Amino acid sequence: MIYIVVFLILGIILLSIRFSWWRKNISYSYPRVLMYHMISEHLPKNKSKFNRLRVKPSEFEKQLIWLKNNNFKSYTLSELVDLEQIPEKSIVITFDDGYEDNFKNAFALLKKYGFKATIYIVLNRFEQNWATDKDLNQVSNELNSEKMLLNEQIKEMIDSGLIEIGSHTLDHVNLPKLTFNEKITQIKESKEKIEEIFNIICNSFAYPFGFFDKESVKIVKELTYTNATTTVNGVFDKTKYSNFEIPRIMVSGRQSLFSFILKIKKGRNR
């Protein structure tokens, strides 16, 4: 009997550590900016290090249904920062990099449930050397083998009125490691190319890997972007964060709907 009690206590402790259910809920007056990458099925475990970046379409749909049933209001990032007063239960869905499944899998579900999104694209995403494993600091063959969004697909999403396109630099670079002129090239030319190719104004930027420094922030601001997102964990509290250091909540492909709901309520990854 004592073993059962010990086992249950350990189970409760482990679940508490994993889900942080005990944390206080953060007010819905602070918008939640969600970070996704791919909406796709997982690869076999022995062939993937990055299934956490792959949210299955069935799980993504469950998340959208929950958000819709709980009366969350969807915005693009540019729309959100332009609001004089942000309504409660505001949500921004973002996708990093520009994977083709954003069009093939995510877009149909966003249309079905009436949600908007901001997609940050790498301009040189077709060269199959843009993606690196930040932990190993080397090229990631797994990510570089993924199909990327075609310009025609991006144009169709823009025309829907649901999708905003933002910049993720030319080459998905680690900005703090670059010289000042290299930063200017990556941030400025990516914006110019997006505006030229798609005939839009590119207002939104996402720092690759979430890495940024004061100089990068200053350049983004001076190049007339209106906002930029990081991978800092949390809600967008304007008393703590500027429009150029917006935190996000990462949605993992390895977690359940229960975990997703807790992230929304707690306003953090864990």
Side-chain angles (χ1 to χ4, degrees):
M1 183 68 180
I2 190 169
Y3 293 108
I4 295 175
V5 173
V6 170
F7 179 79
L8 288 173
I9 292 173
L10 287 174
I12 292 170
I13 292 172
L14 289 173
L15 286 173
S16 298
I17 293 172
R18 179 178 179 183
F19 295 110
S20 299
W21 55 267
W22 44 269
R23 288 185 184 274
K24 182 180 178 181
N25 290 351
I26 294 180
S27 169
Y28 284 138
S29 63
Y30 301 111
R32 274 64 167 161
V33 182
L34 306 182
M35 178 175 65
Y36 293 85
H37 289 78
M38 291 173 268
I39 303 299
S40 66
E41 299 299 330
H42 288 186
L43 298 181
K45 289 184 179 180
N46 62 348
K47 294 183 179 180
S48 175
K49 179 184 176 182
F50 294 102
N51 275 338
R52 69 182 183 278
L53 302 183
R54 297 181 175 91
V55 175
K56 295 177 182 178
S58 59
E59 291 300 315
F60 185 56
E61 182 166 22
K62 291 176 186 176
Q63 294 165 8
L64 294 181
I65 290 172
W66 186 85
L67 290 171
K68 189 174 184 66
N69 288 344
N70 285 274
N71 302 312
F72 280 85
K73 174 67 174 175
S74 173
Y75 299 94
T76 66
L77 228 306
S78 291
E79 289 175 340
L80 186 80
V81 298
D82 281 346
L83 293 173
E84 290 187 9
Q85 186 169 356
I86 298 175
E88 285 202 354
K89 290 194 169 183
S90 294
I91 198 95
V92 179
I93 295 171
T94 69
F95 295 91
D96 284 8
D97 303 337
Y99 298 98
E100 189 178 42
D101 58 62
N102 293 180
F103 174 80
K104 290 192 169 181
N105 296 331
F107 184 43
L109 292 171
L110 291 169
K111 286 193 293 185
K112 181 177 180 180
Y113 296 102
F115 281 86
K116 296 182 177 182
T118 297
I119 300 177
Y120 303 105
I121 62 171
V122 177
L123 270 295
N124 295 331
R125 61 194 178 279
F126 302 113
E127 296 184 7
Q128 295 193 327
N129 63 359
W130 66 270
T132 56
D133 184 329
K134 70 177 181 180
D135 298 325
L136 302 177
N137 196 29
Q138 64 186 31
V139 172
S140 169
N141 292 328
E142 178 184 345
L143 294 179
N144 280 309
S145 66
E146 288 288 335
K147 291 184 178 180
M148 307 304 290
L149 282 168
L150 301 175
N151 288 344
E152 292 75 17
Q153 294 169 329
I154 293 173
K155 288 176 181 176
E156 182 177 336
M157 291 193 291
I158 291 171
D159 289 343
S160 73
L162 295 176
I163 305 299
E164 173 192 23
I165 298 299
S167 168
H168 209 29
T169 70
L170 294 173
D171 302 296
H172 201 269
V173 290
N174 184 338
L175 288 169
K177 290 187 175 182
L178 301 186
T179 66
F180 176 78
N181 287 335
E182 288 171 336
K183 289 175 183 175
I184 289 284
T185 297
Q186 289 288 331
I187 298 169
K188 182 173 185 286
E189 290 189 13
S190 60
K191 175 180 171 67
E192 290 173 346
K193 288 186 177 182
I194 286 173
E195 293 179 342
E196 178 184 353
I197 293 169
F198 303 112
N199 193 29
I200 60 173
I201 301 299
C202 179
N203 290 316
S204 297
F205 185 84
Y207 304 101
F209 310 106
F211 297 158
F212 63 97
D213 54 14
K214 290 182 179 179
E215 188 173 64
S216 299
V217 173
K218 185 172 184 288
I219 292 170
V220 171
K221 187 175 182 178
E222 290 180 349
L223 288 174
T224 69
Y225 289 94
T226 64
N227 64 86
T229 53
T230 69
T231 58
V232 173
N233 176 21
V235 297
F236 184 24
D237 180 349
K238 286 197 170 189
T239 66
K240 295 180 180 179
Y241 302 101
S242 78
N243 287 351
F244 297 93
E245 297 180 39
I246 297 173
R248 290 188 287 178
I249 300 167
M250 180 179 176
V251 181
S252 172
R254 292 176 177 159
Q255 296 176 325
S256 65
L257 179 62
F258 176 69
S259 295
F260 175 82
I261 294 170
L262 282 180
K263 287 183 178 185
I264 299 299
K265 289 184 175 181
K266 307 300 177 185
R268 52 187 295 122
N269 293 346
R270 286 182 178 274

